[in-house]
Amino acid sequence: MKKFIQTLILFLATITTLMAQQGATLKGKVKDPSGQPLEAATITLLESNSKKLIKIGTTDKEGNFEIIQLPAAAILVQVSAVGFESFNSDEVKLGDNATVELPAVQLKAAEKSLQGVTVTARKPMVEVKADKTVVNVDAFISNAGGTALDVLEKAPGVSVDRDGNISLKGKQGVIVLVDGKQTYLGGQDLANLLRNTPSNQLETVEIMTQPSAKYDASGNSGIINIRTKKGRQNGFNGSINLGFVQGVYPKSPNSININYKKDKLTIFSTASYSYWAGFNDLDLVRKFSPKANETIGSVFDQTSKGKFHSHNLSLRTGLEYSINKKTTIGFQVNGTYNPREFKANSVALIYNGGSDPESSNVASSLNKDTWKNFGSNFNFRKRLDTTGRELTADLDFIWYGTNALQTSDNFTYLLPQNSVADSFLLRGDLPSDIRIYSFKTDYVHPLNKTSKLEAGIKSSYVTTDNDAAFRIWDNQGKDWVADFSRSNQFIYEENINAAYLNYNKEFKKWALQTGLRLEHTYAKGKQIVNNDRFIRNYVQLFPTIFASYKLNEKNTLTANYGRRIERPNYQDMNPFQFFLDQYTFRMGNPNLQPQFTHNVELSHNYKGIINTTVNYTRTTDVINDILKQNDTTKVTFQTKENIATRRNIGIALSYNQSLTKWWTVSLYGNLFNNYFEGFVNNTPLDASITSFMGNVNNQFKFAKTWGAELSGFYRTKMQDGGLIIARPMGMFSFGLSKQVLKSKGTLKLSVTDPLFLMRFSGYTQFGNIDTRINARWDNRRVALNFSYRFGKANGGPQRRRTGSAIDEQNRVGNNSQQ
């Protein structure tokens, strides 16, 4: 492998030398009124005569900019930044292959003009870029009072099922990052984190269907990166967000963000508290095959009423310090304290071949736990020279802990006399401890003005310890006794080591990026009670390639390919049982294997307004939820297995444009086909379905301080793993906004799903499984949100960290019911 990497580097360097292109270069530096470097100032280049846009660039942390591959022409240079007066240069002449360096530009403060003018500029709702789609959260009024999961549900191409599982373009296996760092959560716990994160903490959502080799290879359908709000300006500043939401039950998301930046030091801190309560109602009808002496099988008609509430308190604080102009270090800690509770009462009528029920099962369950998290990150950045060579490093430690308590009380009554026939009482104590250690370092090396190499390594080590001590009530002994058939302890260790190499090259009309990532995985797990053990040791290569061609100023074509992996979530391998009632539970599967995916995409972009994408995806060893059923005991449980090979073909179209000065529209549609082929419960699976999903968002601007929104989405019938068929679903929302307190404050009123259309309805008919599912939750809500910005703002943005945790955090979960 060492020889292979050396050969690849030599090959790429040779290509770079042969393919290098020349052009004029413009360099310069921008300063603020005090003479300090001004980061993120916008550099706009225009043709001198026609004023036609040539190129746009930005300044780096040292206030420098360098714009390459420019035509030989006479140009004008405009420099602008928020809070400063714009600068307009005299005519600048660029010669063939010449390098021109402008005198330093020092911008003047625009405090007086800002005080007297209401800023009406606003970000677009959705921005389609070459490598990702960006959703600007605050541009959606209906996001007020919502959660991060609500934001994702309305994002283009993203769908969220009834359990909070996230899909992208009809494909599961999405990795969710927060500020470029893994959450290390999966399944129910990732959904709970997003449900307990107020939308007013979010700035943007970045959707990447084909990440480069720099990112972890996890996530067969891509990566969603959630950017939180951070202080971007010098001085003391911040914001406060207060919200109240009324559904059937009240909710309240609140947060405060404080930042201080002066000279070399930046300090930032965010605290949030949210109370969230709601309900989950579930109706299940399960049919069982008749026994040998029966003509009609049994039927379970089950209704469950669930209620949950949680108090989520989180804190993130950190600092960054510039040792000198080229070296920056940073440290960040974050923590979460989230006590939560889920109660469910269910009644199942049991029909044994007749029209009248012969018995009923009445059950009550309680899942109560406190989910705790601590994370720390130390980061380092070193600019090695002025050509762009850079070295960064991150060291992370993350801990998750919980001590869940389960109770399940079940009573069987004979009908019609309604006498007690049997009881099943269960208690469970399920502590969980997860520790994650991660380190990564990245190196950027420009080869010339139009190409560069990126390389990096990463190592992570994860330990999980899940214990399950169950007790069952002994009716004869009248005492609680250990239930060894359900009790167990599952210990899992995993070490992943990775290295990558990326090559980037720009031509006049072409852009090329190709990369290769190597990942070595060593994992071992054991169940203490039955001494069942396994070891997995494998090495995989993950190539990526991205190419774009600019036909003209209005049209750009792109093509990309990537291979990815989806490893099982840690808790999906946990073999413990989580009960709804005596006959219904969920359990993990320690025998899960990773799934692998090949992704191919072709797209066309017109003026940044219309983007069309065609994709082909093939996934092997698909990890999917399945139902298993015992026709004799009438027990049905949900688990995960590697069930099939999946082929996904789709076409997506997005349109984002301001139709008038007061009306902006964003449209998205995705037509796709999923085909599954494999075995489930030893029964051949051959299933295909074509589905459509669409989003529409309208933003309206009235006068200078009023705004409104009307948005909605709709999905046709969809297929989940070839087993569960989800019927069509959709909803719409609307909202109003008003700027107050000299535009420093904003009031937003939103109404989500006013007609209560959002619900899940589906069915499964496969093998001996015949189930109907209907679910409703607390989705119709009215929200009032107030946000206020305070403090002084007069500088550039602070550096964002990506951390070393790029893969593991999405794979934690403790399968809570909330």
Side-chain angles (χ1 to χ4, degrees), residues 412-426:
T412 300
Y413 295 87
L414 298 177
L415 300 177
Q417 59 268 35
N418 205 34
S419 58
V420 177
D422 192 14
S423 64
F424 173 80
L425 309 179
L426 189 71

Side-chain angles (χ1 to χ4, degrees), residues 161-231:
D161 69 13
R162 64 187 181 91
D163 296 321
N165 296 313
I166 301 168
S167 299
L168 182 58
K169 290 187 175 181
K171 300 173 289 183
Q172 291 188 351
V174 181
I175 295 298
V176 177
L177 311 179
V178 177
D179 290 330
K181 293 167 58 65
Q182 280 277 11
T183 60
Y184 289 104
L185 296 175
Q188 291 290 319
D189 280 296
L190 175 60
N192 289 332
L193 170 71
L194 298 175
R195 286 192 185 104
N196 286 285
T197 302
S199 62
N200 54 37
Q201 289 188 20
L202 311 186
E203 183 174 1
T204 62
V205 173
E206 300 172 346
I207 303 170
M208 293 172 278
T209 57
Q210 199 71 285
S212 73
K214 183 176 181 178
Y215 291 91
D216 291 289
S218 291
N220 72 282
S221 62
I223 291 175
I224 295 177
N225 185 26
I226 298 174
R227 295 284 190 185
T228 60
K229 294 178 179 177
K230 292 185 178 180

Side-chain angles (χ1 to χ4, degrees), residues 280-407:
N280 284 312
D281 291 347
L282 183 66
D283 295 324
L284 291 172
V285 177
R286 291 177 286 176
K287 297 181 180 180
F288 298 85
S289 301
K291 298 178 182 177
N293 58 345
E294 296 177 342
T295 58
I296 302 176
S298 301
V299 176
F300 268 43
D301 188 351
Q302 184 178 25
T303 298
S304 175
K305 303 287 186 181
K307 180 183 177 183
F308 66 87
H309 66 83
S310 66
H311 300 262
N312 188 78
L313 179 64
S314 64
L315 175 67
R316 181 181 69 246
T317 186
L319 60 86
E320 294 172 353
Y321 181 75
S322 297
I323 299 175
N324 52 48
K325 291 183 178 181
K326 294 183 178 182
T327 307
T328 303
I329 59 173
F331 180 73
Q332 177 178 315
V333 295
N334 61 273
T336 300
Y337 180 80
N338 182 18
R340 55 198 186 186
E341 184 177 285
F342 179 84
K343 296 180 179 179
N345 296 303
S346 64
V347 176
L349 299 177
I350 305 171
Y351 300 79
N352 288 316
S355 58
D356 296 322
E358 292 186 359
S359 61
S360 67
N361 177 262
V362 178
S364 62
S365 64
L366 172 64
N367 290 275
K368 188 175 183 180
D369 73 337
T370 299
W371 182 246
K372 292 169 285 187
N373 158 243
F374 171 80
S376 61
N377 167 263
F378 175 80
N379 54 79
F380 167 85
R381 178 191 181 194
K382 175 72 173 181
R383 295 174 63 90
L384 301 176
D385 56 28
T386 59
T387 67
R389 287 200 304 137
E390 182 178 273
L391 180 68
T392 60
D394 284 87
L395 179 65
D396 286 85
F397 169 71
I398 299 173
W399 169 79
Y400 290 99
T402 185
N403 192 352
L405 299 175
Q406 278 190 41
T407 66

Side-chain angles (χ1 to χ4, degrees), residues 774-788:
N774 289 282
R776 303 193 76 173
W777 52 93
D778 202 0
N779 197 62
R780 179 167 57 185
R781 308 190 295 262
V782 178
L784 181 64
N785 180 265
F786 171 72
S787 62
Y788 180 75

Side-chain angles (χ1 to χ4, degrees), residues 587-659:
M587 67 181 297
N589 177 8
N591 297 315
L592 286 174
Q593 299 291 331
Q595 65 183 32
F596 295 90
T597 297
H598 295 273
N599 286 326
V600 179
E601 287 188 346
L602 303 173
S603 65
H604 168 257
N605 187 277
Y606 175 72
K607 295 176 64 175
I609 299 173
I610 301 176
N611 195 78
T612 306
T613 302
V614 178
N615 76 277
Y616 171 86
T617 301
R618 186 176 185 272
T619 305
T620 57
D621 293 323
V622 173
I623 301 172
N624 212 93
D625 287 315
I626 68 167
L627 297 176
K628 288 182 175 288
Q629 180 172 286
N630 188 315
D631 291 336
T632 301
T633 62
K634 307 299 187 292
V635 171
T636 301
F637 68 93
Q638 177 180 308
T639 188
K640 286 184 181 288
E641 287 189 356
N642 299 97
I643 66 167
T645 295
R646 177 179 60 202
R647 188 265 295 138
N648 173 279
I649 298 176
I651 181 171
L653 178 68
S654 64
Y655 174 81
N656 303 280
Q657 176 72 329
S658 295
L659 302 181

